[in-house]
C-alpha cells in the first residue's frame, strides 16, 4: 500500500474522496459475475458528457467511454440515442429516460479547473433499476494527469459492477518497430493500456526485444544486443538507470520477474543447450533451475511463486512444462496437436496463456495449469507472445500479417469475446502489461 | 532428463555425421554465391584471400531445414570449402551468426539460432579450424535476408553465416 500511495504522490495525484451518498451496504454484491465463464450479457452503461469545463469534462467522458468499449463486460450506449442530455452531476438522472435506452447504469461527472490551476474531476455511478447512486468519487490533480484520472474512474466503475479488479490505470511496455524487416530498428517503448502517452525508453541503436514489467517497481527487464553477447538488462523507467543482469558466460534471454519483483528468471545458452536460471536482484546470487541439453526457455512463475511454467523441446518439439519454483523435475502439460510456446501464468492463477503453432498458423490460447480445458482465442498467419492484464481478464499479444508489413498489438478478453487493436505510432510487438498503478 | 538428453544428443550427432539424402526435399538456395550478399553481381574482382573472395568464391553461409540444426550434405560441402579457405588464410578470426526464419516464436528462435551457429562451429573445428578463431552469436528471427510470406524466403533465412572480421554479413 505504501508504494501505491507513493506512486500517486509522485504523479501529483491527490487521493480521491467519496462523494455522498455513501454506498448502501447491499451494494457490495457484484452486478455482473464474470467468474462462471463466457456466458454473459454485457452490462449496458450510459456515460453522459461530463459537465464542468467543456474540454476537461468531455475528455474525461471520452476516455471512459473508449475504455468501456474495449472492456467486453461493459457496453457503452451510443450517446446519439440518449434521451436525457442533462449533465449536471449534482442531480439524480431521470431514470425513466435511461430505461428507454436500455441503460442499466448511468455515469455522470464533471471536470473543472480550480482556482489554483488544478483539475477537479468527479463521477457518480447510478443504478437505473433502483435509482440509487452506487459509487462516486472526486479527485483533485495536476491537469497533466487528467488521462490517469479518467482511467482511475473507469477502474472504479468496472470494479463496482463486476467485482473484479480494474485494469485501465495500467501501462504496457512494448517494442516499437520501424524500417525494413531486414534492418528493423527496434526501440523499447511504454504506453498507457489504451495506446496513449507513448514514450521511448531506448534510442534504437541497439536491437532490443521481449521487455517485461516488474510487478512491484518501475523496472523493466529485456534482452538487448550491444557489444558482445546479447544479454538480459534491467532498466528503471523513471531514472533511466540500466544494468546487465548477472555475469553469465553466454547469451541470456527470455527474462521475466518473479511475482515478488526481487528475482529474474531467464534462459542462458551454453553450447547447444539453453537452460533456466534465476538471479536474486538483492544478493546477485544465481541459481540454475534446469539441466538439459535441449532448449528450455520462456519461463514464468505462478502468481504465488511456487511453480514455474516454461517451454522446452526436450521431448522433441516445443511443449509446455511445469516445475517447482526451485527447479527440478518437470511435468509436461500440453498434449494437443502442434507446438506450444511462450507460456504465461495468469495473475489470478487460473489459466496459462500460450502461443500454439500448427498447420501453418500461429494461435493464442489458454489452458488450466494442469493442461486441461484448452481454448484457442485467436488463430491466423502469426499471433505470438500473450501477456496478461493485472486482473487476469484480458490479454495482449502481437499479430504479424507477414511480408514487408509488420506486427501490431491486439487486446482481447480471456473468453475470446472481443478483440481490439491497440493503436501504436508504428509497428509494435512484444507487449508486456504492467501492474495496476493505483 | 535421461531420455531428453539422449534424444538431443542423437540430434546433434546427426548434425555432424548426417549424410542422409534429405537435401532433395526442399529447394534450398544452398551455397549459390549469387545469393550470398556482399560483393556479388558488382562485377568486381575478388582478390584471393579477401573477405570478398570468401563470400563470392567459397560461400559464407549454409542453410537449414525447418526447425532443424542438422547440417545437410550441401551445407557440409560449403563448410568443407570454408575450412580449406580458412586454413589457407589463417589470419582471419570470424563470427558465426545463427539465424532462424520467422515461422517460430522469438525466444525459441534465439536458442535455435544459437544451435545452428554451434553446429557450424563444431563442424569447422572438426575440420581442423581452431575454436579460438571463432565466436558465435544468434540473431534468432531478428535479421531476415529475404522477406515474404512463403517458403522461398523462409529457407534463405534459416542460415548460419560465417562473417570474417573485417568483412560484413
Amino acid at each position: 500500500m505504501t508504494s501505491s500511495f507513493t506512486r500517486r504522490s509522485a504523479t501529483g495525484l491527490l487521493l480521491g474522496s467519496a462523494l455522498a451518498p455513501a454506498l448502501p451496504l447491499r451494494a457490495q454484491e457484484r452486478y455482473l459475475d464474470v467468474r462462471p465463464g463466457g456466458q454473459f450479457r454485457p452490462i449496458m452503461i450510459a456515460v453522459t458528457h461530463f459537465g464542468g469545463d467543456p474540454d476537461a469534462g468531455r475528455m474525461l467522458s471520452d476516455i471512459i467511454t473508449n475504455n468501456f468499449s474495449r472492456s467486453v463486460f461493459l457496453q457503452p450506449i451510443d450517446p446519439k440515442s440518449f434521451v436525457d442530455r442533462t449533465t449536471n452531476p449534482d442531480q439524480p438522472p431521470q431514470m425513466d429516460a435511461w430505461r428507454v435506452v436500455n441503460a442499466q447504469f448511468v455515469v455522470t461527472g464533471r471536470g473543472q479547473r480550480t482556482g489554483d490551476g488544478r483539475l477537479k474531476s468527479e463521477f457518480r455511478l447510478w443504478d437505473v433499476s433502483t435509482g440509487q447512486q452506487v459509487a462516486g468519487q472526486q479527485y483533485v490533480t495536476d491537469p497533466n494527469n487528467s488521462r490517469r484520472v479518467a482511467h482511475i474512474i473507469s477502474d472504479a466503475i468496472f470494479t463496482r459492477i463486476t467485482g473484479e479488479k480494474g485494469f485501465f490505470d495500467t501501462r504496457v511496455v512494448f517494442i516499437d518497430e520501424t524500417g525494413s524487416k531486414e534492418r528493423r530498428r527496434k526501440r523499447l517503448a511504454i504506453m498507457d493500456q489504451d495506446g496513449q502517452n507513448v514514450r521511448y525508453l531506448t534510442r534504437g541503436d541497439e536491437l532490443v526485444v521481449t521487455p517485461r514489467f516488474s510487478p512491484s517497481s518501475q523496472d523493466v527487464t529485456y534482452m538487448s544486443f550491444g557489444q558482445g553477447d546479447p544479454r538480459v538488462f534491467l532498466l528503471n523507467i523513471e531514472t533511466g538507470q540500466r544494468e546487465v543482469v548477472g555475469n553469465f558466460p553466454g547469451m541470456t534471454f527470455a527474462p521475466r520477474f518473479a511475482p515478488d519483483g526481487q528475482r529474474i528468471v531467464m534462459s542462458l545458452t551454453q553450447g547447444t543447450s539453453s537452460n533456466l536460471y534465476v538471479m536474486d536482484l538483492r544478493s546477485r546470487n544465481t541459481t540454475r533451475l534446469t539441466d538439459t541439453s535441449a532448449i528450455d526457455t520462456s519461463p514464468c512463475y505462478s502468481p504465488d511463486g511456487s511453480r514455474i511454467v516454461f517451454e522446452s523441446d526436450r521431448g522433441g518439439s516445443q511443449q509446455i512444462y511445469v516445475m517447482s519454483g526451485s527447479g527440478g523435475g518437470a511435468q509436461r502439460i500440453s498434449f494437443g496437436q502442434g507446438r506450444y510456446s511462450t507460456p504465461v501464468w495468469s495473475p489470478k492463477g487460473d489459466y496459462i496463456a500460450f502461443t500454439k503453432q500448427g498447420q501453418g498458423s500461429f494461435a493464442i490460447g489458454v489452458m488450466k495449469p494442469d493442461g486441461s480445458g484448452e481454448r484457442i482465442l485467436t488463430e491466423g498467419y502469426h499471433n505470438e507472445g500473450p501477456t496478461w492484464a493485472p486482473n487476469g481478464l484480458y490479454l495482449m499479444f502481437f499479430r504479424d500479417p507477414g511480408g514487408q508489413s509488420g506486427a501490431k498489438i491486439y487486446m482481447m478478453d480471456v473468453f475470446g469475446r472481443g478483440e481490439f487493436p491497440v493503436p501504436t505510432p508504428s509497428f509494435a510487438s512484444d507487449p508486456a502489461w504492467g501492474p495496476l498503478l493505483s | 532428463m535421461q531420455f531428453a538428453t539422449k534424444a538431443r544428443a542423437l540430434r546433434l550427432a546427426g548434425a555432424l555425421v548426417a549424410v542422409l539424402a534429405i537435401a532433395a526435399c526442399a529447394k534450398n538456395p544452398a551455397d549459390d554465391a549469387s545469393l550470398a550478399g556482399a560483393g556479388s553481381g558488382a562485377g568486381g574482382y575478388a582478390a584471393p584471400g579477401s573477405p570478398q573472395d570468401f563470400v563470392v568464391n567459397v560461400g559464407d553461409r549454409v542453410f537449414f531445414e525447418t526447425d532443424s540444426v542438422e547440417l545437410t550434405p550441401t551445407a557440409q560441402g560449403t563448410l568443407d570449402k570454408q575450412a580449406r579457405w580458412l586454413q589457407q588464410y589463417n589470419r582471419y578470426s570470424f563470427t558465426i551468426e545463427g539465424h532462424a526464419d520467422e515461422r517460430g516464436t522469438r525466444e525459441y528462435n534465439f536458442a535455435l539460432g544459437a544451435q545452428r551457429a554451434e553446429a557450424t562451429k563444431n563442424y569447422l573445428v572438426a575440420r581442423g579450424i581452431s575454436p579460438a578463431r571463432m565466436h558465435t552469436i544468434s540473431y534468432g528471427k531478428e535479421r531476415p535476408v529475404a522477406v515474404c510470406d512463403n517458403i522461398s524466403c523462409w529457407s534463405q533465412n534459416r542460415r548460419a553465416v560465417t562473417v570474417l572480421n573485417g568483412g560484413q554479413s
Side-chain angles (χ1 to χ4, degrees):
Chain A
M1 286 302 107
T2 314
S3 68
S4 75
F5 185 79
T6 309
R7 232 175 267 142
R8 279 172 187 245
S9 308
T11 52
L13 203 66
L14 298 187
L15 281 171
S17 51
L19 285 180
L23 307 182
L25 281 177
R26 73 153 202 66
Q28 292 313 314
E29 73 211 26
R30 44 178 101 201
Y31 291 97
L32 175 68
D33 194 344
V34 304
R35 291 170 300 182
Q39 303 304 312
F40 60 83
R41 293 159 73 96
I43 295 282
M44 302 298 288
I45 187 163
V47 181
T48 62
H49 294 325
F50 279 23
D53 298 343
D55 288 355
R58 186 60 179 264
M59 194 191 69
L60 291 169
S61 40
D62 282 354
I63 294 170
I64 294 166
T65 303
N66 179 50
N67 278 342
F68 291 164
S69 71
R70 296 177 297 117
S71 76
V72 175
F73 304 112
L74 310 185
Q75 189 173 318
I77 297 167
D78 185 348
K80 289 195 204 77
S81 69
F82 290 178
V83 178
D84 180 3
R85 293 181 180 276
T86 23
T87 51
N88 181 355
D90 302 324
Q91 301 290 328
Q94 298 299 317
M95 296 304 168
D96 288 342
W98 293 109
R99 283 191 196 101
V100 169
V101 296
N102 296 317
Q104 293 166 273
F105 289 88
V106 178
V107 182
T108 59
R110 171 193 288 135
Q112 203 150 33
R113 296 284 179 127
T114 59
D116 60 357
R118 289 168 166 263
L119 178 69
K120 188 169 104 176
S121 311
E122 58 187 89
F123 82 94
R124 295 172 195 261
L125 176 67
W126 304 87
D127 180 342
V128 175
S129 65
T130 62
Q132 296 293 307
Q133 179 187 328
V134 291
Q137 290 273 307
Q138 69 175 18
Y139 309 84
V140 180
T141 61
D142 184 303
N144 293 327
N145 289 324
S146 53
R147 292 199 70 90
R148 262 205 75 188
V149 175
H151 293 315
I152 289 169
I153 292 173
S154 302
D155 279 333
I157 294 169
F158 181 86
T159 297
R160 183 65 195 83
I161 293 176
T162 64
E164 301 284 334
K165 286 182 188 157
F167 71 102
F168 295 115
D169 186 24
T170 56
R171 295 183 293 177
V172 176
V173 285
F174 67 101
I175 298 296
D176 169 86
E177 300 192 15
T178 50
S180 72
K181 272 201 173 164
E182 293 89 337
R183 297 192 160 273
R184 205 65 140 187
R185 180 172 183 240
K186 292 195 168 187
R187 286 185 292 177
L188 186 57
I190 187 167
M191 62 184 170
D192 296 347
Q193 52 75 28
D194 59 357
Q196 299 299 309
N197 283 332
V198 172
R199 187 158 66 91
Y200 300 98
L201 303 173
T202 62
R203 289 193 306 266
D205 42 0
E206 291 179 352
L207 176 65
V208 293
V209 293
T210 64
R212 274 80 197 242
F213 234 118
S214 165
S216 59
S217 67
Q218 298 301 302
D219 291 307
V220 171
T221 182
Y222 60 102
M223 180 198 195
S224 178
F225 284 67
Q227 306 299 314
D229 287 326
R231 292 200 179 283
V232 168
F233 280 79
L234 185 64
L235 174 75
N236 185 292
I237 59 178
E238 280 173 3
T239 65
Q241 196 179 339
R242 193 181 86 142
E243 61 178 290
V244 176
V245 176
N247 180 24
F248 293 100
M251 171 175 73
T252 47
F253 62 110
R256 200 176 287 276
F257 283 93
D260 63 6
Q262 299 297 338
R263 291 164 290 155
I264 291 177
V265 62
M266 71 197 109
S267 285
L268 167 66
T269 295
Q270 286 182 285
T272 56
S273 59
S274 294
N275 280 285
L276 303 181
Y277 286 74
V278 61
M279 190 180 104
D280 188 301
L281 292 171
R282 290 162 298 194
S283 68
R284 307 276 146 173
N285 289 337
T286 57
T287 309
R288 182 174 184 151
L289 298 173
T290 65
D291 186 2
T292 166
S293 57
I295 296 172
D296 287 358
T297 191
S298 301
C300 176
Y301 280 93
S302 59
D304 66 359
S306 68
R307 287 178 287 171
I308 292 174
V309 64
F310 63 101
E311 64 166 86
S312 177
D313 69 344
R314 58 180 65 181
S317 73
Q318 285 168 286
Q319 298 294 339
I320 298 176
Y321 293 76
V322 173
M323 66 178 175
S324 157
S326 52
Q331 296 284 325
R332 177 174 163 181
I333 61 164
S334 60
F335 290 98
Q337 289 289 313
R339 293 159 61 180
Y340 292 78
S341 55
T342 76
V344 277
W345 215 305
S346 161
K348 292 173 87 169
D350 51 357
Y351 289 111
I352 288 167
F354 53 81
T355 307
K356 182 179 182 179
Q357 253 176 280
Q359 296 173 330
S361 79
F362 283 63
I364 303 294
V366 294
M367 61 173 69
K368 292 180 180 161
D370 65 1
S372 67
E374 177 179 326
R375 279 189 288 120
I376 295 301
L377 301 176
T378 184
E379 189 168 9
Y381 177 75
H382 197 105
N383 300 284
E384 181 178 342
T387 179
W388 289 98
N391 66 4
L393 291 175
Y394 303 87
L395 292 157
M396 283 190 191
F397 58 93
F398 68 92
R399 172 179 296 157
D400 194 328
Q404 264 303 359
S405 178
K408 296 294 269 182
I409 296 173
Y410 292 80
M411 167 182 146
M412 77 182 340
D413 68 297
V414 69
F415 304 119
R417 291 174 59 126
E419 178 188 287
F420 310 94
V422 178
T424 49
S426 310
F427 293 126
S429 58
D430 293 1
W433 218 317
L436 202 56
L437 288 168
S438 50
Chain B
M1 285 294 182
Q2 198 61 35
F3 165 76
T5 308
K6 205 191 269 176
R8 180 48 58 120
L10 281 174
R11 185 164 148 187
L12 291 173
L16 285 178
V17 214
V19 236
L20 300 169
I22 52 169
C25 71
K27 190 174 53 133
N28 267 344
D31 57 350
D32 180 348
S34 70
L35 285 166
S40 64
Y45 169 68
S50 68
Q52 199 183 16
D53 176 37
F54 181 74
V55 171
V56 175
N57 298 318
V58 175
D60 66 344
R61 62 196 60 197
V62 295
F63 300 95
F64 295 84
E65 302 297 329
T66 299
D67 197 29
S68 169
V69 301
E70 287 188 19
L71 294 168
T72 64
T74 311
Q76 292 181 40
T78 302
L79 293 180
D80 287 339
K81 285 162 68 182
Q82 284 191 8
R84 282 194 295 275
W85 193 94
L86 290 164
Q87 256 161 350
Q88 189 178 354
Y89 304 105
N90 60 10
R91 63 180 182 275
Y92 288 103
S93 61
F94 54 95
T95 299
I96 302 168
E97 299 178 350
H99 297 270
D101 68 28
E102 51 272 56
R103 303 309 284 155
T105 43
R106 194 179 317 286
E107 290 174 339
Y108 177 82
N109 276 358
F110 283 120
L112 181 63
Q115 289 187 335
R116 286 173 175 166
E118 195 70 15
T120 303
K121 174 184 171 177
N122 290 342
Y123 191 94
L124 291 174
V125 170
R127 288 291 178 275
I129 309 299
S130 166
R133 296 171 64 190
M134 310 176 201
H135 181 71
T136 59
I137 189 170
S138 172
Y139 285 97
K141 62 175 173 178
E142 304 303 313
R143 288 287 178 258
V145 287
V147 175
C148 63
D149 55 9
N150 64 57
I151 194 168
S152 68
C153 287
W154 307 334
S155 59
Q156 293 178 60
N157 294 333
R158 298 188 295 263
R159 69 201 193 277
V161 185
T162 304
V163 181
L164 303 181
N165 285 354
Q168 54 181 255
S169 61

